[in-house]
Amino acid sequence: MRINKALAAAGVCSRRAADELIASGAVLVNGQPAEPGMQVSANDEVTVEGRAVALPLGQRTTFTYLLCNKPRKYVSTASDPQGRRTVLDLVPAAHADTRLYPVGRLDYDSEGLILLTNNGELTHRLTHPSHHLPKTYRVSVAGPVSEKQLQTFRAGMPLAEGDKVAPVGVEIIKGARNGGDSTLLEMVLIQGLNRQIRRMCRDVGLEVKRLVRIGQGPLKLGSLRPGECRLLRENETTALLRDSGLAKPGKD
């Protein structure tokens, strides 16, 4: 098996992240720096940043899928050089020994659904531009929102930095009654641009007060409280793997 795919199967990271680790010299195979695209077998000794990795070659791997409700002031990375709290600090003690990684990003000041897993191939699929599943957000913005602003979102728009945003589904859930109130929007994104919603709102003159991700593909945040995590149900796992192209279509 190719080294990047083997590391992903072992739950170390995504294939893309594995390629970066290999390029940096952090991956050794039998004591020698790994080469991009090299093949490894169950007899090879592999280490990542000095830590031995058991490659699940020729055996069935058990994966863990945790759905978490990220509060504000947490970073959605496995570690943070600034010492801030990460989403891994939310992992229940029962799964503390499982090497989990967050799938994608959610801003430091944003809240809501984030998936943690040791399935590196799924992480690769869900973070690759060609496999993005729709993400649903509830966004509170200051003041009223005009029909012109909504149509700009729905039509797709260029951002100030030059990025082109695909059309975004948006509806008003609760309108502002006067200039001092907030408007609650529901927005559905099919892209994964960095801070996309905040940048879109900025460019049409809206101030984001609160941003919560409530869905990703078949996954829904539901009544999960901020800071809590739970295992995916069997039907959720089946639907997620199917929608990401890792399982054949069929009934849940």
Side-chain angles (χ1 to χ4, degrees):
M1 184 183 292
R2 288 169 63 95
I3 181 66
N4 62 348
K5 184 176 181 180
L7 291 175
V12 173
C13 56
S14 69
R15 291 194 197 184
R16 182 167 51 186
D19 288 333
E20 293 173 357
L21 286 171
I22 292 166
S24 72
V27 181
L28 301 182
V29 177
N30 301 321
Q32 300 298 318
E35 297 290 339
M38 72 181 297
Q39 299 286 321
V40 291
S41 70
N43 296 323
D44 290 317
E45 295 181 0
V46 177
T47 62
V48 177
E49 297 177 336
R51 185 174 178 179
V53 176
L55 300 181
L57 304 177
Q59 57 181 305
R60 184 178 179 82
T61 304
T62 299
F63 294 121
T64 299
Y65 306 93
L66 281 181
L67 189 153
C68 297
N69 186 347
K70 184 188 95 65
R72 295 178 66 246
K73 308 302 182 183
Y74 278 75
V75 293
S76 55
T77 55
S79 61
D80 181 63
Q82 300 179 41
R84 295 172 296 181
R85 294 175 295 184
T86 80
V87 289
L88 295 188
D89 293 323
L90 305 174
V91 174
H95 304 287
D97 293 333
T98 304
R99 192 166 182 171
L100 300 171
Y101 289 88
V103 179
R105 299 290 179 90
L106 197 55
D107 292 342
Y108 183 64
D109 287 319
S110 299
E111 310 165 53
L113 187 157
I114 190 163
L115 181 68
L116 306 179
T117 185
N118 57 347
N119 186 335
E121 182 60 23
L122 177 65
T123 300
H124 172 74
R125 289 292 183 100
L126 295 183
T127 54
H128 193 277
S130 63
H131 288 281
H132 275 302
L133 296 181
K135 298 182 180 71
T136 305
Y137 298 82
R138 289 287 172 93
V139 186
S140 179
V141 298
V145 178
S146 69
E147 185 62 27
K148 181 179 179 180
Q149 289 168 320
L150 295 177
Q151 289 302 327
T152 299
F153 291 152
R154 292 168 181 156
M157 58 184 287
L159 297 176
E161 295 82 2
D163 298 305
K164 182 67 170 65
V165 173
V168 170
V170 57
E171 300 293 339
I172 294 178
I173 302 301
K174 183 179 180 182
R177 295 184 178 180
N178 57 63
D181 287 343
S182 295
T183 299
L184 182 61
L185 303 172
E186 182 167 296
M187 305 180 75
V188 181
L189 275 61
I190 58 173
Q191 279 176 299
L193 298 179
N194 184 40
R195 297 176 62 83
Q196 180 175 335
I197 290 177
R198 295 184 186 276
R199 293 160 66 195
M200 290 169 55
C201 288
R202 174 204 65 195
D203 288 356
V204 298
L206 295 175
E207 178 190 357
V208 174
K209 308 295 287 186
R210 188 182 183 194
L211 192 158
V212 184
R213 183 191 291 161
I214 62 170
Q216 181 175 3
L219 305 182
K220 307 301 178 186
L221 187 62
S223 59
L224 194 66
R225 296 177 180 178
E228 290 185 342
C229 299
R230 67 168 176 82
L231 288 169
L232 290 191
R233 304 179 184 95
E234 184 176 356
N235 66 314
E236 291 174 318
T237 302
T238 300
L240 182 64
L241 295 177
R242 179 198 63 212
D243 290 359
S244 60
L246 294 178
K248 295 181 179 179
K251 295 182 180 180
D252 292 353

